[in-house]
Amino acid sequence: MSTISNVKYEAVIGLEVHAQLLTKSKAFAAVSSEYGGAPNRQVTPLCLGHPGTLPVLNENLVRYTIKMGLATGCKISEKSIFARKNYFYPDLPKGYQISQYDTPICYEGSIEIELEDYVKEIGITRIHMEEDAGKSIHDQDPYHTLVDLNRAGTPLIEIVSEPDLRTPREAYEYLKKIRQIVQYLDVCDGNMEEGSLRCDANVSIRPRGQKELGTRTELKNMNSFRNVERAITFEIERQIELVENGGKVIQQTLLWDPNKLETRQMRSKEEAHDYRYFPEPDLPPIIVNESLLEDIQSELPELPDKRLLRFVEQSGLSRDEAAILTDNRYLADYFEEAIGFLNEPKAISNVILTEVLRVLNEKSIHINEFTITPKQLSGLIQLKLEDKINSSAMQTIFNELLESDKEPIELAAVMNLIQVSDSGFLEPIIDEVMESNPDEVKRYREGKKALISFFIGQVMKQSKGKANPKLVREMVAVKLDGTE
Ligand code: ADP
Ligand code: MG
């Protein structure tokens, strides 16, 4: 991309990421916040904005947010408050969103991102708690907009980065890292397509060397990782072209159109004062004491960067292998479960990175839906390592395991695939192959040694793939070279 590595300008990017929390109930009401229910069935009078209803804080909203804060090196406020963010929208019956304004519960953290040839620390300005609005549906009725309030009041965290990102790729890696962390912490499923992870990108450009930031635009509606990278790329190029042609960037909110691959104006950018933020009078301040912090700290799982290093050090995997395995927490769990049954990390990682990932890709499924259990997989690999089956049998059994809950050894026996390393069994087969191919035997003995592969192939075929290829090769060579 020519303009991205533009010598004259550099881009500045800051991301605001919203993550929908996996709490069972809503932020301030005792009703399920689960995604995908029938419209307007998960609502209480509070979600409908009825007068006289009062919010009650879901403790897990606080705990999950602090978890994320600790995992990203944030400071945690001892005392913070909720604020009302006021605006009118049909899917916001209360007329305001409960959020946090000048006292976010977590602040001044950072995460590390890794690019091809450098590592970079990206500042996290703040992580605050808020509730989601409902959903307006414009494409189901030709005349009306429909409103589903199931999502109204669903707990969210907003993670705001410092304007530390410089390229679309950095933004992409940052977002991936955020997703990886929320998944590891089990606070959000990280699904961008379903909207449980959403990202707004703030983009500006400035002449290289300039300190002050340029005027930014804010991009919305990018519902995949690829689209985030694409939209930012598009926007940087648009701004450079605009400025080069004597124009000026105006601060505005832009919508990414994933079909046309371009941004278009949505509205001029709102300012904080437009929202008339004021302290939420119906909720007490959030007080975080030492013992709550210690409690949450002790629940933190091992985070991806650390796990990657451990896989390299303990299991002897390469960094690349460990990076792919730990990219997804559940894939890493699968790997660890498998090596619990058979301590052969390298062999197990090989099969996961090739065969298992291939199947997940082909079927478009998640590792949690994969039908071969870690125990079955390690059993299969053990058969191969012990030379009880050969590679082609391994492949056959692997495919069979996708639809079977039998143990690999049982399948190998039933399918008659246990490798034969018994020379008594092989000898008559080799004799027969030689007898029925006298010309080849002759040519081999006249010096065409490459024909040995032909004989091995024939013997393997006659043994129905069960023969140990190493043994076959040795025996065939002896027989062919032997004088008669
Ligand atoms: P708002 O809530 O109005 O969008 P914030 O001050 O919370 O504003 O900033 C939102 C994001 O915009 C942050 O991630 C910040 O890093 C980023 N940002 C601020 N100024 C710029 C700029 N000039 N260029 C690019 N990103 C910026
Ligand atoms: Mg914003």
Side-chain angles (χ1 to χ4, degrees):
M1 237 144 273
S2 56
T3 41
I4 294 299
S5 52
N6 191 297
V7 284
K8 210 161 145 198
Y9 297 98
E10 106 177 320
V12 175
I13 304 154
L15 298 188
E16 294 164 86
V17 179
H18 285 93
Q20 215 172 74
L21 298 182
L22 287 168
T23 56
K24 292 204 177 64
S25 54
K26 292 193 179 180
F28 308 108
V31 59
S32 167
S33 59
E34 205 180 327
Y35 175 81
N40 297 311
R41 289 303 152 92
Q42 291 152 221
V43 292
T44 65
L46 183 89
C47 311
L48 298 170
H50 285 190
T53 53
L54 287 172
V56 178
L57 176 58
N58 179 342
E59 192 193 333
N60 276 335
L61 167 54
V62 177
R63 293 183 79 97
Y64 286 20
T65 312
I66 295 177
K67 245 187 182 181
M68 187 61 189
L70 292 175
T72 53
C74 283
K75 297 177 180 156
I76 312 295
S77 303
E78 277 172 45
K79 179 181 173 185
S80 65
I81 61 165
F82 285 106
R84 287 190 184 179
K85 180 179 181 180
N86 299 280
Y87 62 98
F88 171 79
Y89 213 73
D91 56 27
L92 186 71
K94 294 206 303 294
Y96 60 86
Q97 229 175 331
I98 302 180
S99 180
Q100 292 195 288
Y101 182 48
D102 43 15
T103 59
I105 185 162
C106 311
Y107 59 101
E108 288 176 18
S110 69
I111 58 175
E112 211 172 69
I113 56 171
E114 194 176 325
L115 288 105
E116 232 153 73
D117 45 5
Y118 62 98
V119 172
K120 186 171 172 182
E121 191 159 307
I122 306 299
I124 288 181
T125 317
R126 56 188 280 158
I127 302 176
H128 68 251
M129 304 180 274
E130 59 184 31
E131 59 173 342
D132 210 344
K135 206 159 136 190
S136 296
I137 300 157
H138 304 290
D139 58 2
Q140 284 196 11
D141 183 304
Y143 303 109
H144 302 97
T145 286
L146 306 177
V147 175
D148 177 6
L149 292 173
N150 283 354
R151 208 180 62 184
T154 293
L156 300 178
I157 50 175
E158 179 171 340
I159 306 151
V160 182
S161 85
E162 288 289 298
D164 286 346
L165 301 157
R166 291 291 172 270
T167 65
R169 196 68 208 173
E170 286 183 6
Y172 176 93
E173 291 300 332
Y174 169 84
L175 191 56
K176 279 240 150 161
K177 200 23 115 24
I178 294 282
R179 179 176 69 167
Q180 205 185 27
I181 298 173
V182 294
Q183 285 180 338
Y184 266 73
L185 297 176
D186 239 342
V187 298
C188 167
D189 65 22
N191 189 328
M192 279 198 86
E193 285 74 18
E194 280 178 9
S196 39
L197 196 71
R198 304 196 282 268
C199 171
D200 300 340
N202 295 268
V203 178
S204 64
I205 55 162
R206 63 183 172 192
R208 280 186 194 278
Q210 178 183 303
K211 275 247 150 56
E212 306 88 79
L213 297 176
T215 305
R216 70 178 147 131
T217 57
E218 183 169 342
L219 311 178
K220 288 185 180 287
N221 196 41
M222 304 160 292
N223 59 356
S224 71
F225 283 85
R226 249 158 75 86
N227 277 328
V228 169
E229 194 176 10
R230 277 186 182 151
I232 296 174
T233 304
F234 177 88
E235 181 57 14
I236 295 171
E237 290 179 350
R238 187 190 71 84
Q239 290 186 12
I240 292 178
E241 202 174 302
L242 182 69
V243 170
E244 280 290 282
N245 290 320
K248 253 180 124 166
V249 176
I250 38 175
Q251 184 157 334
Q252 57 184 344
T253 302
L254 301 168
L255 271 192
W256 172 248
D257 184 329
N259 299 317
K260 293 196 185 138
L261 301 183
E262 60 183 34
T263 51
R264 66 188 141 82
Q265 171 151 24
M266 180 174 152
R267 58 171 184 252
S268 70
K269 173 94 181 82
E270 66 290 335
E271 302 280 349
H273 62 246
D274 295 329
Y275 289 119
R276 303 269 180 249
Y277 277 101
F278 67 84
E280 166 62 61
D282 292 339
L283 286 164
I286 307 115
I287 308 292
V288 181
N289 58 29
E290 227 15 74
S291 79
L292 178 64
L293 272 187
E294 276 167 21
D295 193 33
I296 297 173
Q297 183 83 51
S298 71
E299 282 174 10
L300 285 187
E302 181 184 37
L303 290 167
D305 292 352
K306 248 180 121 182
R307 199 172 197 187
L308 188 155
L309 281 183
R310 185 165 61 79
F311 281 9
V312 171
E313 283 162 13
Q314 264 179 21
S315 304
L317 304 184
S318 74
R319 260 194 94 82
D320 285 349
E321 289 169 321
I324 303 176
L325 286 176
T326 53
D327 180 48
N328 175 325
R329 175 190 162 178
Y330 303 100
L331 193 67
D333 288 346
Y334 186 95
F335 166 75
E336 292 217 90
E337 224 179 294
I339 60 174
F341 291 107
L342 173 74
N343 191 19
E344 291 285 353
K346 202 80 186 168
I348 289 174
S349 151
N350 280 343
V351 176
I352 293 180
L353 296 183
T354 54
E355 297 307 309
V356 176
L357 288 186
R358 179 180 57 75
V359 172
L360 299 186
N361 245 326
E362 279 170 11
K363 301 195 168 180
S364 279
I365 55 170
H366 190 260
I367 181 70
N368 294 345
E369 302 161 274
F370 185 59
T371 46
I372 301 181
T373 64
K375 179 156 183 266
Q376 284 176 312
L377 193 82
S378 51
L380 177 64
I381 293 167
Q382 187 165 12
L383 291 179
K384 176 68 179 56
L385 292 176
E386 288 173 351
D387 252 352
K388 295 212 171 93
I389 55 173
N390 61 31
S391 314
S392 84
M394 177 163 169
Q395 191 66 53
T396 310
I397 299 171
F398 179 89
N399 293 336
E400 195 66 22
L401 282 171
L402 289 169
E403 266 128 54
S404 165
D405 46 21
K406 290 216 169 62
E407 289 307 319
I409 181 79
E410 280 179 77
L411 284 178
V414 173
M415 296 170 85
N416 209 1
L417 288 170
I418 304 277
Q419 177 155 271
V420 177
S421 301
D422 166 2
S423 52
F425 166 81
L426 287 175
E427 205 157 338
I429 298 182
I430 297 173
D431 288 344
E432 200 207 304
V433 167
M434 283 173 63
E435 261 163 48
S436 17
N437 296 284
D439 287 353
E440 280 75 8
V441 174
K442 195 161 158 257
R443 281 166 55 213
Y444 176 91
R445 289 183 173 155
E446 283 163 8
K448 195 145 175 28
K449 298 288 183 201
L451 273 172
I452 188 151
S453 315
F454 163 79
F455 289 102
I456 295 171
Q458 290 295 310
V459 175
M460 291 302 293
K461 204 164 137 197
Q462 299 277 331
S463 78
K464 305 216 162 47
K466 286 194 305 180
N468 176 342
K470 267 214 296 259
L471 185 62
V472 172
R473 172 175 285 273
E474 279 165 25
M475 290 180 64
V476 166
V478 169
K479 288 238 165 201
L480 284 170
D481 289 334
T483 42
E484 251 163 80

